[in-house]
């Protein structure tokens, strides 16, 4: 198969009937498949957070075990996103997207059938590996199907809306299904994954950009660095920061990070070229994505536990508590493209982060006796802010990278986002592990998240607008 990019020849009727990317039919099928892939991943993340107390009662393992149920998935997601973006560019968006969907769907079934906590965590690791391929491949699929910036921005907003709808449905479905069995939260992924694969068959194969070898050194180093850091953060909450295994994990993380950077600078086929990382737009976008996930997923993790363990809400009531925030997030996400078109992408990026930071601080104010409805209202700015900022920063980044780097750039952005989510669960879980001081740990965690988001909001003024 040729490794060159498809030519710009006029589309024939045969192309359109076949669903060739770039034609009207092909673009619609590609967007529909990408949207469903992002939907099912977001659905899975929020379903799991709401169901954590039920999983804990079913398997035991305490706070550390619950953290690994979340972070086993997120860790592999974040670490493999880096090479998944590069692989997407090399083997083609459609092919990579399909492979990721198959792995994710099969692993979801394995999670549902897991006989113990160890098997569940391993299945979550595999699930995260599949998800890591889906995200950059879905964005590259959109970049390929919608070459014009204006149409691509609208398509990305629709893609982001799929995630927002998944976020809105996730907590409620998680609560409802957990009342029956927590295993159902994984089985619900199966029909969605199958439908997305069917839609993908309506599109043509994507062109390959390169046949360069896989960067094994960089990938193994990335997994070791992120894994060591996440392990240290989780175990520090259980055994203390000065425990030998925690210190060893930190050393592994530092050494692996050095190996990663060296391999990317000197390797013949780096999965993340350092010139891409050094670009201002890439560095700032990754920082914004990191902070947004610290705030959003950190809050979901904390309040999912707080509402059930401290306020005594049922899983269903907890899911419903997140519904106003997630519904408004789904409504707001499409607005980001219109605001970016009128005022430039920096406006929704900065405004969204300021809204999120304000909401996170506001959640620290109510006393322990505050009613649940007050917390529900205070969560809304957090979700709304994320709904404004995420599609805007994604669109801005893809506008400013060459098409052949779209998969790699989106992989870096989303790896940073997932690392933010993983570390927030690891660190915040440690801060609330003592039930006697849960509320103090929750407030400390939310203030840390607010500080991160406020800092990246200030740095976002340096983001470059597209000039042509």
């Amino acid at each position: 198969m040729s490794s060159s990019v498809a030519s710009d020849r006029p589309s024939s009727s045969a192309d359109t009937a076949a669903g060739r990317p770039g034609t009207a039919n092909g673009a619609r099928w590609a967007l529909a498949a990408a949207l469903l892939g992002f939907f099912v991943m977001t659905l899975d993340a929020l379903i799991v957070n709401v169901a954590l107390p039920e999983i804990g009662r079913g398997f035991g393992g305490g706070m550390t075990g619950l953290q690994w149920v979340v972070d086993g998935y997120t860790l592999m997601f974040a670490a493999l996103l880096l090479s998944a973006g590069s692989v997407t560019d090399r083997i083609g968006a459609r092919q990579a997207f399909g492979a990721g969907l198959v792995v994710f769907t099969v692993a979801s079934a394995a999670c549902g059938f897991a006989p113990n906590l160890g098997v569940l965590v391993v299945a979550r690791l595999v699930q995260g590996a599949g998800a890591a391929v889906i995200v950059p491949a879905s964005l590259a699929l959109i970049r390929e199907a919608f070459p014009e910036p204006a149409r691509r921005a609208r398509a990305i907003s629709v893609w982001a809306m799929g995630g927002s709808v998944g976020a809105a449905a996730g907590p409620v479905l998680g609560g409802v299904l957990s009342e029956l069995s927590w295993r159902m939260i994984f089985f619900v992924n199966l029909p969605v994954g199958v439908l997305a694969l069917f839609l993908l068959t309506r599109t043509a194969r994507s062109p390959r950009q390169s046949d360069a070898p896989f960067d094994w050194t960089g990938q193994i180093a990335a997994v070791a660095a992120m894994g060591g850091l996440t392990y240290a953060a989780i175990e520090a909450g259980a055994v203390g920061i000065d425990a030998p295994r925690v210190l060893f994990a930190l050393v592994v993380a530092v050494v692996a990070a050095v190996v990663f950077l060296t391999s990317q600078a000197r390797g013949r086929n780096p999965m993340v070229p350092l010139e891409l990382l050094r670009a201002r737009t890439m560095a700032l976008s990754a920082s914004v994505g990191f902070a947004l996930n610290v705030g959003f997923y950190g809050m979901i993790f904390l309040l999912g536990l707080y509402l059930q363990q401290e306020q005594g809400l049922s899983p269903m009531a907890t899911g419903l508590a997140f519904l106003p925030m997630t519904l408004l997030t789904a409504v707001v996400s499409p607005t980001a493209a219109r605001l970016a078109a009128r005022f430039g992408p920096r406006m929704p990026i900065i405004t969204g982060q300021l809204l999120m930071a304000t909401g996170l601080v506001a959640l620290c104010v109510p006393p322990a006796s505050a009613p649940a409805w007050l917390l529900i209202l205070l969560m809304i700015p957090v979700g709304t802010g994320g709904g404004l900022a995420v599609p805007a920063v994604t669109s801005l980044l893809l506008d400013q990278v060459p098409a052949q780097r779209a998969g790699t750039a989106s992989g870096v952005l989303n790896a940073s986002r997932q690392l933010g989510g993983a570390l927030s669960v690891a660190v915040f879980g440690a801060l609330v592990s003592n039930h006697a001081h849960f509320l103090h740990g929750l407030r400390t965690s939310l203030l840390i998240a607010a500080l991160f988001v406020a800092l990246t909001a200030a740095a976002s003024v340096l983001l470059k607008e597209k000039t042509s």
Side-chain angles (χ1 to χ4, degrees):
M1 177 182 292
S2 173
S3 62
S4 62
V5 178
S7 67
D8 295 327
R9 63 177 178 82
S11 301
S12 68
S13 58
D15 288 333
T16 302
R20 184 182 180 87
T23 65
N25 282 350
R28 283 194 292 266
W29 292 123
L31 178 57
L35 181 150
L36 277 179
F38 192 43
F39 164 82
V40 74
M41 288 165 43
T42 309
L43 181 80
D44 181 81
L46 294 180
I47 279 182
V48 171
N49 273 285
V50 172
L52 283 176
E54 290 297 313
I55 295 173
R57 281 187 282 271
F59 282 150
M63 179 63 72
T64 299
L66 296 182
Q67 286 172 284
W68 277 115
V69 171
V70 177
D71 275 354
Y73 171 88
T74 311
L75 173 62
M76 292 302 288
F77 195 171
L80 297 182
L81 269 172
L82 296 174
S83 60
S86 180
V87 167
T88 294
D89 290 336
R90 288 165 177 165
I91 72 172
R94 178 185 181 271
Q95 298 86 279
F97 185 75
L101 269 175
V102 169
V103 171
F104 179 86
T105 304
V106 172
S108 294
C111 288
F113 287 116
N116 54 55
L117 187 62
V119 173
L120 176 59
V121 171
V122 171
R124 290 283 284 166
L125 288 167
V126 178
Q127 201 183 23
V133 180
I134 292 173
V135 171
S138 67
L139 283 169
L141 200 63
I142 291 172
R143 176 68 174 80
E144 182 179 283
F146 297 90
E148 303 88 351
R151 292 186 65 213
R152 182 168 63 245
R154 290 192 294 270
I156 289 173
S157 290
V158 173
W159 172 84
M161 186 171 62
S164 298
V165 172
V172 179
L173 273 177
V176 171
L177 295 176
S178 292
E179 298 278 0
L180 303 173
S181 169
W182 62 261
R183 297 178 186 277
M184 296 296 295
I185 67 174
F186 296 109
F187 291 141
V188 76
N189 295 338
L190 306 187
V192 183
V194 170
L195 177 57
L197 285 168
F198 169 76
L199 293 174
L200 196 64
T201 64
R202 308 290 292 176
T203 66
R205 286 181 67 87
S206 297
R208 300 173 64 181
Q209 303 292 348
S210 171
D211 293 319
F214 187 78
D215 181 11
W216 288 106
T217 301
Q219 181 58 85
I220 293 171
V223 172
M226 294 184 189
L229 184 59
T230 303
Y231 179 88
I234 290 176
E235 293 299 315
V239 299
I241 189 68
D242 57 347
R245 67 174 181 260
V246 173
L247 295 175
F248 178 75
L250 288 173
V251 171
V252 169
V254 171
V255 171
V258 172
V259 172
F260 174 79
L261 291 174
T262 303
S263 68
Q264 301 312 288
R266 300 180 180 178
R268 296 183 58 186
N269 302 107
M271 59 184 181
V272 184
L274 287 189
E275 61 267 22
L276 180 65
L277 293 178
R278 285 193 292 262
R280 179 192 299 178
T281 298
M282 183 73 260
L284 289 175
S285 297
S287 299
V288 170
F290 179 93
L292 287 170
N293 267 32
V294 167
F296 185 74
Y297 285 101
M299 182 204 70
I300 296 288
F301 173 76
L302 292 167
L303 291 185
L305 294 174
Y306 178 73
L307 291 173
Q308 293 181 68
Q309 294 182 354
E310 304 298 318
Q311 292 214 342
L313 270 64
S314 68
M316 184 182 299
T318 300
L320 291 172
F322 289 111
L323 188 58
M325 175 193 72
T326 52
L327 281 177
L328 281 173
T329 302
V331 171
V332 166
S333 288
T335 305
R338 292 194 291 272
L339 291 175
R342 183 171 182 181
F343 301 105
R346 278 183 306 199
M347 185 270 192
I349 292 171
I350 294 173
T351 301
Q353 290 178 93
L354 292 177
L355 274 173
M356 179 177 284
T358 300
L360 291 168
V361 172
L363 282 167
C364 299
V365 176
S369 59
W373 64 261
L374 180 57
L375 298 178
I376 292 170
L377 288 177
L378 294 177
M379 283 190 278
I380 290 175
V382 179
T384 303
L388 278 176
V390 169
V393 75
T394 303
S395 181
L396 180 145
L397 176 62
L398 292 184
D399 279 348
Q400 297 201 28
V401 298
Q404 65 270 23
R405 291 294 187 197
T408 303
S410 61
V412 172
L413 172 61
N414 285 288
S416 180
R417 291 183 60 199
Q418 295 306 316
L419 182 60
L423 289 180
S424 68
V425 170
V427 175
F428 299 167
L431 291 174
V432 299
S433 60
N434 186 336
H435 286 288
H437 301 94
F438 191 99
L439 187 59
H440 175 73
L442 181 145
R443 288 170 175 165
T444 301
S445 300
L446 292 175
L447 287 174
I448 291 172
L451 178 61
F452 269 105
V453 177
L455 289 173
T456 55
S460 297
V461 299
L462 300 175
L463 285 168
K464 294 180 180 180
E465 306 274 12
K466 188 171 176 63
T467 58
S468 61

